[in-house]
Structures are given as C-alpha cells and as structure tokens.
PDB file of all heavy atoms in Angstrom:
ATOM      1  N   ALA A   9      -1.779  11.016  -2.321  1.00 95.00           N
ATOM      2  CA  ALA A   9      -2.521  12.114  -1.724  1.00 95.00           C
ATOM      3  C   ALA A   9      -3.731  11.569  -0.989  1.00 95.00           C
ATOM      4  O   ALA A   9      -4.504  10.792  -1.548  1.00 95.00           O
ATOM      5  CB  ALA A   9      -2.952  13.102  -2.798  1.00 95.00           C
ATOM      6  N   ALA A  10      -3.901  11.971   0.252  1.00 93.00           N
ATOM      7  CA  ALA A  10      -4.965  11.456   1.098  1.00 93.00           C
ATOM      8  C   ALA A  10      -5.957  12.543   1.470  1.00 93.00           C
ATOM      9  O   ALA A  10      -5.575  13.689   1.721  1.00 93.00           O
ATOM     10  CB  ALA A  10      -4.386  10.843   2.364  1.00 93.00           C
ATOM     11  N   SER A  11      -7.209  12.155   1.507  1.00 90.00           N
ATOM     12  CA  SER A  11      -8.245  13.025   2.036  1.00 90.00           C
ATOM     13  C   SER A  11      -8.406  12.740   3.520  1.00 90.00           C
ATOM     14  O   SER A  11      -7.834  11.790   4.052  1.00 90.00           O
ATOM     15  CB  SER A  11      -9.564  12.799   1.299  1.00 90.00           C
ATOM     16  OG  SER A  11     -10.062  11.497   1.555  1.00 90.00           O
ATOM     17  N   GLY A  12      -9.191  13.556   4.194  1.00 77.00           N
ATOM     18  CA  GLY A  12      -9.444  13.330   5.600  1.00 77.00           C
ATOM     19  C   GLY A  12      -8.630  14.233   6.503  1.00 77.00           C
ATOM     20  O   GLY A  12      -7.552  14.707   6.132  1.00 77.00           O
ATOM     21  N   ARG A  13      -9.126  14.413   7.697  1.00 77.00           N
ATOM     22  CA  ARG A  13      -8.494  15.313   8.656  1.00 77.00           C
ATOM     23  C   ARG A  13      -7.620  14.594   9.675  1.00 77.00           C
ATOM     24  O   ARG A  13      -6.997  15.244  10.512  1.00 77.00           O
ATOM     25  CB  ARG A  13      -9.572  16.112   9.384  1.00 77.00           C
ATOM     26  CG  ARG A  13     -10.403  16.970   8.464  1.00 77.00           C
ATOM     27  CD  ARG A  13     -11.562  17.614   9.188  1.00 77.00           C
ATOM     28  NE  ARG A  13     -12.393  18.395   8.284  1.00 77.00           N
ATOM     29  CZ  ARG A  13     -13.513  18.998   8.613  1.00 77.00           C
ATOM     30  NH1 ARG A  13     -13.960  18.911   9.864  1.00 77.00           N
ATOM     31  NH2 ARG A  13     -14.198  19.681   7.713  1.00 77.00           N
ATOM     32  N   SER A  14      -7.598  13.284   9.609  1.00 80.00           N
ATOM     33  CA  SER A  14      -6.832  12.499  10.562  1.00 80.00           C
ATOM     34  C   SER A  14      -5.618  11.843   9.938  1.00 80.00           C
ATOM     35  O   SER A  14      -5.061  10.906  10.506  1.00 80.00           O
ATOM     36  CB  SER A  14      -7.724  11.427  11.206  1.00 80.00           C
ATOM     37  OG  SER A  14      -8.794  12.013  11.911  1.00 80.00           O
ATOM     38  N   PHE A  15      -5.195  12.343   8.792  1.00 83.00           N
ATOM     39  CA  PHE A  15      -4.077  11.745   8.086  1.00 83.00           C
ATOM     40  C   PHE A  15      -2.836  11.633   8.958  1.00 83.00           C
ATOM     41  O   PHE A  15      -2.124  10.636   8.916  1.00 83.00           O
ATOM     42  CB  PHE A  15      -3.752  12.554   6.832  1.00 83.00           C
ATOM     43  CG  PHE A  15      -2.523  12.079   6.116  1.00 83.00           C
ATOM     44  CD1 PHE A  15      -2.570  10.980   5.279  1.00 83.00           C
ATOM     45  CD2 PHE A  15      -1.306  12.737   6.288  1.00 83.00           C
ATOM     46  CE1 PHE A  15      -1.438  10.536   4.612  1.00 83.00           C
ATOM     47  CE2 PHE A  15      -0.173  12.299   5.626  1.00 83.00           C
ATOM     48  CZ  PHE A  15      -0.238  11.195   4.787  1.00 83.00           C
ATOM     49  N   SER A  16      -2.581  12.658   9.748  1.00 83.00           N
ATOM     50  CA  SER A  16      -1.366  12.675  10.546  1.00 83.00           C
ATOM     51  C   SER A  16      -1.323  11.573  11.597  1.00 83.00           C
ATOM     52  O   SER A  16      -0.251  11.273  12.128  1.00 83.00           O
ATOM     53  CB  SER A  16      -1.191  14.037  11.217  1.00 83.00           C
ATOM     54  OG  SER A  16      -2.264  14.313  12.098  1.00 83.00           O
ATOM     55  N   SER A  17      -2.453  10.965  11.900  1.00 88.00           N
ATOM     56  CA  SER A  17      -2.499   9.890  12.881  1.00 88.00           C
ATOM     57  C   SER A  17      -2.391   8.507  12.251  1.00 88.00           C
ATOM     58  O   SER A  17      -2.337   7.506  12.973  1.00 88.00           O
ATOM     59  CB  SER A  17      -3.782   9.965  13.709  1.00 88.00           C
ATOM     60  OG  SER A  17      -4.921   9.660  12.925  1.00 88.00           O
ATOM     61  N   TYR A  18      -2.362   8.433  10.937  1.00 92.00           N
ATOM     62  CA  TYR A  18      -2.303   7.154  10.238  1.00 92.00           C
ATOM     63  C   TYR A  18      -0.870   6.718   9.992  1.00 92.00           C
ATOM     64  O   TYR A  18      -0.013   7.530   9.653  1.00 92.00           O
ATOM     65  CB  TYR A  18      -2.981   7.240   8.869  1.00 92.00           C
ATOM     66  CG  TYR A  18      -4.421   7.669   8.864  1.00 92.00           C
ATOM     67  CD1 TYR A  18      -4.957   8.272   7.731  1.00 92.00           C
ATOM     68  CD2 TYR A  18      -5.246   7.469   9.954  1.00 92.00           C
ATOM     69  CE1 TYR A  18      -6.277   8.663   7.693  1.00 92.00           C
ATOM     70  CE2 TYR A  18      -6.571   7.869   9.928  1.00 92.00           C
ATOM     71  CZ  TYR A  18      -7.083   8.463   8.797  1.00 92.00           C
ATOM     72  OH  TYR A  18      -8.395   8.854   8.765  1.00 92.00           O
ATOM     73  N   SER A  19      -0.651   5.433  10.130  1.00 94.00           N
ATOM     74  CA  SER A  19       0.543   4.847   9.551  1.00 94.00           C
ATOM     75  C   SER A  19       0.249   4.577   8.081  1.00 94.00           C
ATOM     76  O   SER A  19      -0.887   4.287   7.715  1.00 94.00           O
ATOM     77  CB  SER A  19       0.918   3.557  10.262  1.00 94.00           C
ATOM     78  OG  SER A  19       1.348   3.820  11.584  1.00 94.00           O
ATOM     79  N   MET A  20       1.268   4.665   7.253  1.00 95.00           N
ATOM     80  CA  MET A  20       1.079   4.531   5.817  1.00 95.00           C
ATOM     81  C   MET A  20       2.027   3.497   5.248  1.00 95.00           C
ATOM     82  O   MET A  20       3.153   3.348   5.714  1.00 95.00           O
ATOM     83  CB  MET A  20       1.317   5.871   5.121  1.00 95.00           C
ATOM     84  CG  MET A  20       0.443   7.012   5.625  1.00 95.00           C
ATOM     85  SD  MET A  20      -1.315   6.770   5.252  1.00 95.00           S
ATOM     86  CE  MET A  20      -1.286   6.808   3.460  1.00 95.00           C
ATOM     87  N   GLY A  21       1.553   2.821   4.224  1.00 97.00           N
ATOM     88  CA  GLY A  21       2.378   1.810   3.591  1.00 97.00           C
ATOM     89  C   GLY A  21       2.275   1.839   2.084  1.00 97.00           C
ATOM     90  O   GLY A  21       1.314   2.362   1.517  1.00 97.00           O
ATOM     91  N   TRP A  22       3.289   1.281   1.456  1.00 98.00           N
ATOM     92  CA  TRP A  22       3.292   1.044   0.018  1.00 98.00           C
ATOM     93  C   TRP A  22       3.410  -0.456  -0.222  1.00 98.00           C
ATOM     94  O   TRP A  22       4.261  -1.122   0.375  1.00 98.00           O
ATOM     95  CB  TRP A  22       4.456   1.747  -0.676  1.00 98.00           C
ATOM     96  CG  TRP A  22       4.304   3.230  -0.817  1.00 98.00           C
ATOM     97  CD1 TRP A  22       4.825   4.196  -0.021  1.00 98.00           C
ATOM     98  CD2 TRP A  22       3.592   3.910  -1.855  1.00 98.00           C
ATOM     99  NE1 TRP A  22       4.489   5.438  -0.484  1.00 98.00           N
ATOM    100  CE2 TRP A  22       3.727   5.292  -1.611  1.00 98.00           C
ATOM    101  CE3 TRP A  22       2.857   3.491  -2.967  1.00 98.00           C
ATOM    102  CZ2 TRP A  22       3.148   6.255  -2.441  1.00 98.00           C
ATOM    103  CZ3 TRP A  22       2.283   4.450  -3.784  1.00 98.00           C
ATOM    104  CH2 TRP A  22       2.432   5.810  -3.515  1.00 98.00           C
ATOM    105  N   PHE A  23       2.561  -0.946  -1.106  1.00 98.00           N
ATOM    106  CA  PHE A  23       2.602  -2.326  -1.546  1.00 98.00           C
ATOM    107  C   PHE A  23       2.651  -2.349  -3.063  1.00 98.00           C
ATOM    108  O   PHE A  23       2.337  -1.352  -3.720  1.00 98.00           O
ATOM    109  CB  PHE A  23       1.374  -3.096  -1.053  1.00 98.00           C
ATOM    110  CG  PHE A  23       1.359  -3.343   0.431  1.00 98.00           C
ATOM    111  CD1 PHE A  23       1.036  -2.327   1.313  1.00 98.00           C
ATOM    112  CD2 PHE A  23       1.672  -4.594   0.938  1.00 98.00           C
ATOM    113  CE1 PHE A  23       1.025  -2.544   2.680  1.00 98.00           C
ATOM    114  CE2 PHE A  23       1.665  -4.829   2.304  1.00 98.00           C
ATOM    115  CZ  PHE A  23       1.341  -3.810   3.174  1.00 98.00           C
ATOM    116  N   ARG A  24       3.018  -3.482  -3.607  1.00 98.00           N
ATOM    117  CA  ARG A  24       3.012  -3.614  -5.057  1.00 98.00           C
ATOM    118  C   ARG A  24       2.537  -5.003  -5.439  1.00 98.00           C
ATOM    119  O   ARG A  24       2.638  -5.951  -4.665  1.00 98.00           O
ATOM    120  CB  ARG A  24       4.391  -3.340  -5.654  1.00 98.00           C
ATOM    121  CG  ARG A  24       5.465  -4.343  -5.272  1.00 98.00           C
ATOM    122  CD  ARG A  24       6.827  -3.858  -5.750  1.00 98.00           C
ATOM    123  NE  ARG A  24       7.881  -4.812  -5.458  1.00 98.00           N
ATOM    124  CZ  ARG A  24       9.172  -4.576  -5.655  1.00 98.00           C
ATOM    125  NH1 ARG A  24       9.568  -3.410  -6.153  1.00 98.00           N
ATOM    126  NH2 ARG A  24      10.063  -5.506  -5.358  1.00 98.00           N
ATOM    127  N   GLN A  25       2.030  -5.101  -6.648  1.00 98.00           N
ATOM    128  CA  GLN A  25       1.521  -6.368  -7.136  1.00 98.00           C
ATOM    129  C   GLN A  25       1.774  -6.487  -8.633  1.00 98.00           C
ATOM    130  O   GLN A  25       1.335  -5.648  -9.415  1.00 98.00           O
ATOM    131  CB  GLN A  25       0.029  -6.506  -6.844  1.00 98.00           C
ATOM    132  CG  GLN A  25      -0.535  -7.873  -7.145  1.00 98.00           C
ATOM    133  CD  GLN A  25      -1.922  -8.061  -6.560  1.00 98.00           C
ATOM    134  OE1 GLN A  25      -2.636  -7.101  -6.295  1.00 98.00           O
ATOM    135  NE2 GLN A  25      -2.307  -9.307  -6.351  1.00 98.00           N
ATOM    136  N   ALA A  26       2.482  -7.524  -8.999  1.00 97.00           N
ATOM    137  CA  ALA A  26       2.712  -7.844 -10.393  1.00 97.00           C
ATOM    138  C   ALA A  26       1.631  -8.805 -10.864  1.00 97.00           C
ATOM    139  O   ALA A  26       1.042  -9.527 -10.056  1.00 97.00           O
ATOM    140  CB  ALA A  26       4.095  -8.457 -10.575  1.00 97.00           C
ATOM    141  N   PRO A  27       1.356  -8.851 -12.169  1.00 92.00           N
ATOM    142  CA  PRO A  27       0.315  -9.748 -12.685  1.00 92.00           C
ATOM    143  C   PRO A  27       0.547 -11.192 -12.274  1.00 92.00           C
ATOM    144  O   PRO A  27       1.650 -11.720 -12.419  1.00 92.00           O
ATOM    145  CB  PRO A  27       0.425  -9.572 -14.199  1.00 92.00           C
ATOM    146  CG  PRO A  27       0.975  -8.205 -14.375  1.00 92.00           C
ATOM    147  CD  PRO A  27       1.941  -8.028 -13.234  1.00 92.00           C
ATOM    148  N   GLY A  28      -0.492 -11.817 -11.743  1.00 93.00           N
ATOM    149  CA  GLY A  28      -0.414 -13.203 -11.344  1.00 93.00           C
ATOM    150  C   GLY A  28       0.317 -13.466 -10.047  1.00 93.00           C
ATOM    151  O   GLY A  28       0.466 -14.626  -9.652  1.00 93.00           O
ATOM    152  N   LYS A  29       0.764 -12.423  -9.376  1.00 96.00           N
ATOM    153  CA  LYS A  29       1.495 -12.584  -8.132  1.00 96.00           C
ATOM    154  C   LYS A  29       0.747 -11.944  -6.969  1.00 96.00           C
ATOM    155  O   LYS A  29      -0.118 -11.093  -7.158  1.00 96.00           O
ATOM    156  CB  LYS A  29       2.896 -11.987  -8.247  1.00 96.00           C
ATOM    157  CG  LYS A  29       3.777 -12.689  -9.260  1.00 96.00           C
ATOM    158  CD  LYS A  29       5.184 -12.150  -9.232  1.00 96.00           C
ATOM    159  CE  LYS A  29       6.067 -12.893 -10.209  1.00 96.00           C
ATOM    160  NZ  LYS A  29       7.457 -12.367 -10.193  1.00 96.00           N
ATOM    161  N   GLU A  30       1.113 -12.354  -5.775  1.00 96.00           N
ATOM    162  CA  GLU A  30       0.479 -11.841  -4.573  1.00 96.00           C
ATOM    163  C   GLU A  30       0.993 -10.450  -4.242  1.00 96.00           C
ATOM    164  O   GLU A  30       2.119 -10.080  -4.588  1.00 96.00           O
ATOM    165  CB  GLU A  30       0.749 -12.797  -3.413  1.00 96.00           C
ATOM    166  CG  GLU A  30      -0.177 -12.620  -2.232  1.00 96.00           C
ATOM    167  CD  GLU A  30      -0.056 -13.756  -1.248  1.00 96.00           C
ATOM    168  OE1 GLU A  30      -0.669 -14.803  -1.481  1.00 96.00           O
ATOM    169  OE2 GLU A  30       0.668 -13.584  -0.248  1.00 96.00           O
ATOM    170  N   ARG A  31       0.160  -9.699  -3.577  1.00 96.00           N
ATOM    171  CA  ARG A  31       0.538  -8.366  -3.136  1.00 96.00           C
ATOM    172  C   ARG A  31       1.756  -8.432  -2.221  1.00 96.00           C
ATOM    173  O   ARG A  31       1.817  -9.245  -1.302  1.00 96.00           O
ATOM    174  CB  ARG A  31      -0.646  -7.725  -2.413  1.00 96.00           C
ATOM    175  CG  ARG A  31      -0.449  -6.294  -1.993  1.00 96.00           C
ATOM    176  CD  ARG A  31      -1.777  -5.646  -1.629  1.00 96.00           C
ATOM    177  NE  ARG A  31      -2.768  -6.630  -1.246  1.00 96.00           N
ATOM    178  CZ  ARG A  31      -4.029  -6.370  -0.942  1.00 96.00           C
ATOM    179  NH1 ARG A  31      -4.463  -5.114  -0.982  1.00 96.00           N
ATOM    180  NH2 ARG A  31      -4.859  -7.335  -0.606  1.00 96.00           N
ATOM    181  N   GLU A  32       2.705  -7.562  -2.452  1.00 97.00           N
ATOM    182  CA  GLU A  32       3.983  -7.589  -1.768  1.00 97.00           C
ATOM    183  C   GLU A  32       4.238  -6.283  -1.027  1.00 97.00           C
ATOM    184  O   GLU A  32       4.069  -5.194  -1.581  1.00 97.00           O
ATOM    185  CB  GLU A  32       5.094  -7.839  -2.789  1.00 97.00           C
ATOM    186  CG  GLU A  32       6.500  -7.798  -2.238  1.00 97.00           C
ATOM    187  CD  GLU A  32       7.549  -7.863  -3.326  1.00 97.00           C
ATOM    188  OE1 GLU A  32       7.225  -7.542  -4.488  1.00 97.00           O
ATOM    189  OE2 GLU A  32       8.690  -8.246  -3.028  1.00 97.00           O
ATOM    190  N   PHE A  33       4.678  -6.399   0.199  1.00 98.00           N
ATOM    191  CA  PHE A  33       5.044  -5.223   0.982  1.00 98.00           C
ATOM    192  C   PHE A  33       6.275  -4.558   0.400  1.00 98.00           C
ATOM    193  O   PHE A  33       7.227  -5.224   0.008  1.00 98.00           O
ATOM    194  CB  PHE A  33       5.316  -5.629   2.433  1.00 98.00           C
ATOM    195  CG  PHE A  33       5.930  -4.535   3.255  1.00 98.00           C
ATOM    196  CD1 PHE A  33       5.166  -3.486   3.726  1.00 98.00           C
ATOM    197  CD2 PHE A  33       7.283  -4.557   3.553  1.00 98.00           C
ATOM    198  CE1 PHE A  33       5.725  -2.473   4.475  1.00 98.00           C
ATOM    199  CE2 PHE A  33       7.858  -3.551   4.306  1.00 98.00           C
ATOM    200  CZ  PHE A  33       7.078  -2.511   4.763  1.00 98.00           C
ATOM    201  N   VAL A  34       6.260  -3.228   0.368  1.00 98.00           N
ATOM    202  CA  VAL A  34       7.393  -2.464  -0.132  1.00 98.00           C
ATOM    203  C   VAL A  34       8.008  -1.595   0.966  1.00 98.00           C
ATOM    204  O   VAL A  34       9.197  -1.689   1.249  1.00 98.00           O
ATOM    205  CB  VAL A  34       6.988  -1.572  -1.323  1.00 98.00           C
ATOM    206  CG1 VAL A  34       8.169  -0.727  -1.783  1.00 98.00           C
ATOM    207  CG2 VAL A  34       6.458  -2.425  -2.469  1.00 98.00           C
ATOM    208  N   ALA A  35       7.190  -0.747   1.580  1.00 98.00           N
ATOM    209  CA  ALA A  35       7.687   0.177   2.591  1.00 98.00           C
ATOM    210  C   ALA A  35       6.541   0.680   3.444  1.00 98.00           C
ATOM    211  O   ALA A  35       5.386   0.671   3.024  1.00 98.00           O
ATOM    212  CB  ALA A  35       8.412   1.354   1.937  1.00 98.00           C
ATOM    213  N   ALA A  36       6.859   1.133   4.650  1.00 97.00           N
ATOM    214  CA  ALA A  36       5.856   1.701   5.539  1.00 97.00           C
ATOM    215  C   ALA A  36       6.481   2.781   6.399  1.00 97.00           C
ATOM    216  O   ALA A  36       7.698   2.811   6.599  1.00 97.00           O
ATOM    217  CB  ALA A  36       5.229   0.622   6.421  1.00 97.00           C
ATOM    218  N   ILE A  37       5.625   3.647   6.929  1.00 95.00           N
ATOM    219  CA  ILE A  37       6.089   4.747   7.763  1.00 95.00           C
ATOM    220  C   ILE A  37       5.073   5.000   8.864  1.00 95.00           C
ATOM    221  O   ILE A  37       3.866   4.957   8.641  1.00 95.00           O
ATOM    222  CB  ILE A  37       6.341   6.009   6.903  1.00 95.00           C
ATOM    223  CG1 ILE A  37       7.022   7.106   7.724  1.00 95.00           C
ATOM    224  CG2 ILE A  37       5.046   6.508   6.273  1.00 95.00           C
ATOM    225  CD1 ILE A  37       7.584   8.228   6.853  1.00 95.00           C
ATOM    226  N   SER A  38       5.561   5.255  10.070  1.00 91.00           N
ATOM    227  CA  SER A  38       4.691   5.514  11.204  1.00 91.00           C
ATOM    228  C   SER A  38       4.040   6.888  11.084  1.00 91.00           C
ATOM    229  O   SER A  38       4.407   7.700  10.233  1.00 91.00           O
ATOM    230  CB  SER A  38       5.478   5.418  12.504  1.00 91.00           C
ATOM    231  OG  SER A  38       6.505   6.401  12.551  1.00 91.00           O
ATOM    232  N   TRP A  39       3.076   7.145  11.963  1.00 84.00           N
ATOM    233  CA  TRP A  39       2.325   8.406  11.870  1.00 84.00           C
ATOM    234  C   TRP A  39       3.215   9.632  12.001  1.00 84.00           C
ATOM    235  O   TRP A  39       2.943  10.671  11.393  1.00 84.00           O
ATOM    236  CB  TRP A  39       1.224   8.430  12.931  1.00 84.00           C
ATOM    237  CG  TRP A  39       1.748   8.540  14.345  1.00 84.00           C
ATOM    238  CD1 TRP A  39       2.058   7.525  15.187  1.00 84.00           C
ATOM    239  CD2 TRP A  39       2.010   9.755  15.056  1.00 84.00           C
ATOM    240  NE1 TRP A  39       2.509   8.013  16.385  1.00 84.00           N
ATOM    241  CE2 TRP A  39       2.482   9.384  16.332  1.00 84.00           C
ATOM    242  CE3 TRP A  39       1.892  11.108  14.747  1.00 84.00           C
ATOM    243  CZ2 TRP A  39       2.843  10.323  17.291  1.00 84.00           C
ATOM    244  CZ3 TRP A  39       2.248  12.051  15.701  1.00 84.00           C
ATOM    245  CH2 TRP A  39       2.715  11.650  16.958  1.00 84.00           C
ATOM    246  N   SER A  40       4.250   9.521  12.806  1.00 81.00           N
ATOM    247  CA  SER A  40       5.136  10.651  13.029  1.00 81.00           C
ATOM    248  C   SER A  40       6.244  10.748  11.994  1.00 81.00           C
ATOM    249  O   SER A  40       6.926  11.776  11.911  1.00 81.00           O
ATOM    250  CB  SER A  40       5.762  10.556  14.417  1.00 81.00           C
ATOM    251  OG  SER A  40       6.644   9.451  14.496  1.00 81.00           O
ATOM    252  N   GLY A  41       6.428   9.687  11.236  1.00 83.00           N
ATOM    253  CA  GLY A  41       7.527   9.631  10.296  1.00 83.00           C
ATOM    254  C   GLY A  41       8.830   9.192  10.921  1.00 83.00           C
ATOM    255  O   GLY A  41       9.848   9.096  10.231  1.00 83.00           O
ATOM    256  N   GLY A  42       8.796   8.905  12.213  1.00 85.00           N
ATOM    257  CA  GLY A  42      10.002   8.548  12.916  1.00 85.00           C
ATOM    258  C   GLY A  42      10.462   7.118  12.720  1.00 85.00           C
ATOM    259  O   GLY A  42      11.602   6.783  13.061  1.00 85.00           O
ATOM    260  N   ASN A  43       9.591   6.284  12.208  1.00 92.00           N
ATOM    261  CA  ASN A  43       9.914   4.886  11.975  1.00 92.00           C
ATOM    262  C   ASN A  43       9.569   4.506  10.544  1.00 92.00           C
ATOM    263  O   ASN A  43       8.452   4.760  10.090  1.00 92.00           O
ATOM    264  CB  ASN A  43       9.162   3.982  12.943  1.00 92.00           C
ATOM    265  CG  ASN A  43       9.533   4.224  14.390  1.00 92.00           C
ATOM    266  OD1 ASN A  43       8.876   4.998  15.087  1.00 92.00           O
ATOM    267  ND2 ASN A  43      10.589   3.566  14.839  1.00 92.00           N
ATOM    268  N   THR A  44      10.516   3.924   9.873  1.00 95.00           N
ATOM    269  CA  THR A  44      10.297   3.452   8.512  1.00 95.00           C
ATOM    270  C   THR A  44      10.697   1.991   8.397  1.00 95.00           C
ATOM    271  O   THR A  44      11.553   1.503   9.137  1.00 95.00           O
ATOM    272  CB  THR A  44      11.075   4.284   7.491  1.00 95.00           C
ATOM    273  OG1 THR A  44      12.473   4.245   7.816  1.00 95.00           O
ATOM    274  CG2 THR A  44      10.599   5.729   7.493  1.00 95.00           C
ATOM    275  N   TYR A  45      10.089   1.306   7.444  1.00 96.00           N
ATOM    276  CA  TYR A  45      10.305  -0.114   7.250  1.00 96.00           C
ATOM    277  C   TYR A  45      10.363  -0.398   5.758  1.00 96.00           C
ATOM    278  O   TYR A  45       9.624   0.201   4.974  1.00 96.00           O
ATOM    279  CB  TYR A  45       9.170  -0.920   7.892  1.00 96.00           C
ATOM    280  CG  TYR A  45       8.864  -0.490   9.304  1.00 96.00           C
ATOM    281  CD1 TYR A  45       7.956   0.534   9.552  1.00 96.00           C
ATOM    282  CD2 TYR A  45       9.501  -1.092  10.385  1.00 96.00           C
ATOM    283  CE1 TYR A  45       7.685   0.952  10.848  1.00 96.00           C
ATOM    284  CE2 TYR A  45       9.237  -0.683  11.681  1.00 96.00           C
ATOM    285  CZ  TYR A  45       8.327   0.337  11.910  1.00 96.00           C
ATOM    286  OH  TYR A  45       8.061   0.748  13.190  1.00 96.00           O
ATOM    287  N   TYR A  46      11.224  -1.322   5.386  1.00 97.00           N
ATOM    288  CA  TYR A  46      11.406  -1.632   3.979  1.00 97.00           C
ATOM    289  C   TYR A  46      11.519  -3.128   3.752  1.00 97.00           C
ATOM    290  O   TYR A  46      12.061  -3.860   4.586  1.00 97.00           O
ATOM    291  CB  TYR A  46      12.673  -0.976   3.432  1.00 97.00           C
ATOM    292  CG  TYR A  46      12.651   0.529   3.481  1.00 97.00           C
ATOM    293  CD1 TYR A  46      13.206   1.215   4.543  1.00 97.00           C
ATOM    294  CD2 TYR A  46      12.074   1.257   2.445  1.00 97.00           C
ATOM    295  CE1 TYR A  46      13.181   2.599   4.592  1.00 97.00           C
ATOM    296  CE2 TYR A  46      12.048   2.644   2.484  1.00 97.00           C
ATOM    297  CZ  TYR A  46      12.602   3.312   3.558  1.00 97.00           C
ATOM    298  OH  TYR A  46      12.577   4.689   3.598  1.00 97.00           O
ATOM    299  N   ALA A  47      11.020  -3.547   2.624  1.00 97.00           N
ATOM    300  CA  ALA A  47      11.277  -4.902   2.184  1.00 97.00           C
ATOM    301  C   ALA A  47      12.756  -5.028   1.833  1.00 97.00           C
ATOM    302  O   ALA A  47      13.380  -4.071   1.368  1.00 97.00           O
ATOM    303  CB  ALA A  47      10.422  -5.239   0.968  1.00 97.00           C
ATOM    304  N   ASP A  48      13.312  -6.205   2.056  1.00 98.00           N
ATOM    305  CA  ASP A  48      14.724  -6.421   1.760  1.00 98.00           C
ATOM    306  C   ASP A  48      15.052  -6.128   0.298  1.00 98.00           C
ATOM    307  O   ASP A  48      16.144  -5.648  -0.019  1.00 98.00           O
ATOM    308  CB  ASP A  48      15.126  -7.854   2.089  1.00 98.00           C
ATOM    309  CG  ASP A  48      15.185  -8.121   3.578  1.00 98.00           C
ATOM    310  OD1 ASP A  48      15.240  -7.151   4.360  1.00 98.00           O
ATOM    311  OD2 ASP A  48      15.185  -9.304   3.966  1.00 98.00           O
TER     312      ASP A  48
END
C-alpha cells in the first residue's frame, strides 16, 4: 500500500533478501501495468 498522489506514475518492484544474502530482484511493473518483468 502506497501513500502519495502520484502513485499511478511510478513503476513498482518487488525484491527479496534472505539472511546473509544480497537483495534479489523478484518482479516489476510499469506505471500503466502494461509491462511486467520477472526473475527467472
């Protein structure tokens, strides 16, 4: 859940991090929702 009035203009992503490991990309979505990206 995001605050702010410009949320619709943001691209959004999900990352994850396990203990002792580097932050890892999981998924992302463009501002319109028309483009999505996923880690293999």
Side-chain angles (χ1 to χ4, degrees):
S11 66
R13 299 173 182 176
S14 299
F15 174 80
S16 62
S17 69
Y18 302 155
S19 292
M20 303 294 296
W22 286 98
F23 290 76
R24 65 188 182 187
Q25 188 167 23
K29 296 186 178 180
E30 198 168 278
R31 185 165 24 184
E32 176 188 21
F33 170 77
V34 177
I37 188 166
S38 62
W39 69 269
S40 67
N43 297 94
T44 57
Y45 312 88
Y46 297 94
D48 288 343

